[in-house]
Amino acid sequence: MQFLVYIFLYPFLWCLSILPFRVLYLFSDVAYFISYYIFGYRKKTVRENLALALPHLSDKERLIIEKKSFRNMCDIFLEMIKTMSISEKEINKRYVFKNFEVYQELEKKQKSIALFCAHYASYEWAVSINYKATFQGYAIYKKINNAYFDKLVRDIRSKFKATLITTKETIPIIIENNKINKLGLYGFASDQSPKITSVFYWKSFMGIEVPIHTGAEMLAKRYNMNAIFLRTKRIKRGYYAATFEVLSENTSIVPDYELTDKFIELVEKQIYEAPEHYLWTHKRWKHRR
């Protein structure tokens, strides 16, 4: 059944990917109308998240953010599909790294790099860093249950020369690379809620004490990687600017949870600046004190 769904949808997705951006965003507008007004996809979750994280705003202000966030979500999904056929020239025009020299200076240190980022703005296109980076890039993701769509997502993101690895594969691959002195760039999107059974650390995020992923920090410290944060800003529809901020160049001696604290604070700052570009559909605050 999974295979039948895949072979039915794949030609449609491919046809979407070759459309000009102006037409693609018409489909995004339709997807927004259907997901928000007809199906109400996770609308309750988004509304609850916004009320928890942005209580200082009025109901009207949060409603505006809610609708914009659904538009943003649909754009990101269609932009991911567009990746199936987008050229390197086009992606480099639409997703610009403003201070790439900051990243390059870390590569000169000849240590692997842990890149911290969030599900904010075009996190899908952030993997295009692999067109410019010298180190082998590894994008860490959660495996999709449908094996065929999991392969599709891997193929799409691999177009940017990134190697996708699941959360279960991450530690063994880092250990193996470390043994053979292979330098890597490891991308961690660590802003979502961890399994409650694997919680080590709680921290205030958007004013609410919640469990926090600490795996990126743990691995960065254990293997003394350089740590860097990637901030993405939406300039206009289909165009983004990314900037780097060094978290630490000597992670092995950084006090426990300091890297994680810095990361969470930077993500918060991003969200407060333009909350409509955050992925509010995840149940980020389902476990809270």
Side-chain angles (χ1 to χ4, degrees):
M1 183 61 182
Q2 289 184 349
F3 179 66
L4 291 176
V5 172
Y6 174 77
I7 61 173
F8 174 75
L9 285 178
Y10 184 85
F12 173 70
L13 295 177
W14 173 254
C15 290
L16 276 179
S17 78
I18 61 176
L19 293 174
F21 271 97
R22 64 181 183 279
V23 179
L24 190 75
Y25 286 128
L26 290 177
F27 277 89
S28 181
D29 291 339
V30 172
Y32 159 71
F33 182 85
I34 293 172
S35 63
Y36 185 80
Y37 288 104
I38 297 179
F39 291 107
Y41 172 74
R42 294 198 175 186
K43 187 187 289 187
K44 181 180 178 182
T45 297
V46 172
R47 197 159 290 175
E48 289 175 350
N49 285 343
L50 288 171
L52 284 167
L54 304 171
H56 59 288
L57 299 181
S58 67
D59 290 344
K60 183 178 180 180
E61 288 171 321
R62 286 197 295 269
L63 182 61
I64 292 171
I65 293 170
E66 177 183 305
K67 291 180 179 180
K68 286 183 176 179
S69 73
F70 271 87
R71 288 186 179 277
N72 177 69
M73 178 187 70
C74 293
D75 279 0
I76 289 172
F77 175 75
L78 269 297
E79 286 166 2
M80 182 184 73
I81 300 304
K82 181 65 176 176
T83 306
M84 296 172 71
S85 62
I86 198 169
S87 67
E88 182 177 348
K89 180 180 178 180
E90 183 73 17
I91 193 65
N92 287 338
K93 180 178 74 174
R94 290 178 172 270
Y95 194 95
V96 178
F97 294 94
K98 304 295 287 186
N99 60 340
F100 195 70
E101 67 278 1
V102 173
Y103 170 81
Q104 289 175 314
E105 285 301 312
L106 287 189
E107 280 199 345
K108 291 177 183 177
K109 308 291 184 182
Q110 288 299 293
K111 294 195 299 184
S112 289
I113 299 171
L115 186 147
F116 292 66
C117 60
H119 291 84
Y120 185 90
S122 185
Y123 55 89
E124 288 289 345
W125 281 357
V127 292
S128 63
I129 187 177
N130 294 284
Y131 279 140
K132 301 177 180 295
T134 301
F135 290 179
Q136 173 62 52
Y138 297 89
I140 299 160
Y141 82 111
K142 187 176 180 181
K143 190 173 184 178
I144 300 172
N145 290 331
N146 185 313
Y148 301 100
F149 281 100
D150 183 74
K151 183 180 183 305
L152 176 62
V153 169
R154 293 173 73 101
D155 290 345
I156 288 174
R157 293 174 180 170
S158 295
K159 180 182 174 65
F160 292 133
K161 299 182 180 179
T163 299
L164 259 71
I165 55 176
T166 65
T167 49
K168 290 183 179 180
E169 295 170 326
T170 303
I171 293 178
I173 287 175
I174 291 176
I175 290 174
E176 180 60 28
N177 285 347
N178 191 63
K179 285 181 180 178
I180 61 175
N181 296 316
K182 181 178 181 179
L183 299 174
L185 168 63
Y186 302 95
F188 298 89
S190 303
D191 57 311
Q192 298 302 319
S193 184
K195 291 181 179 179
I196 196 65
T197 54
S198 60
V199 171
F200 294 97
Y201 183 55
W202 293 71
K203 177 180 169 57
S204 175
F205 179 46
M206 303 296 290
I208 305 152
E209 195 170 1
V210 291
I212 303 291
H213 277 291
T214 57
E217 174 178 329
M218 178 267 291
L219 292 169
K221 285 169 62 65
R222 179 180 297 175
Y223 297 101
N224 196 28
M225 301 181 193
N226 287 319
I228 195 167
F229 176 72
L230 179 68
R231 178 196 304 274
T232 303
K233 181 178 181 180
R234 178 170 171 166
I235 305 303
K236 61 181 180 178
R237 200 174 200 182
Y239 290 85
Y240 304 88
T243 55
F244 295 98
E245 183 170 332
V246 176
L247 299 177
S248 175
E249 294 185 35
N250 200 356
T251 55
S252 62
I253 64 170
V254 173
D256 288 347
Y257 307 123
E258 186 173 297
L259 287 177
T260 299
D261 287 348
K262 285 183 179 180
F263 165 66
I264 292 298
E265 288 161 10
L266 288 169
V267 174
E268 282 182 333
K269 184 178 179 181
Q270 247 189 166
I271 295 172
Y272 282 127
E273 287 174 356
E276 64 271 20
H277 298 152
Y278 191 57
L279 191 63
W280 295 99
T281 51
H282 284 201
K283 295 182 179 180
R284 181 61 188 93
W285 292 272
K286 62 181 176 180
H287 304 300
R288 58 184 184 271
R289 287 177 177 172

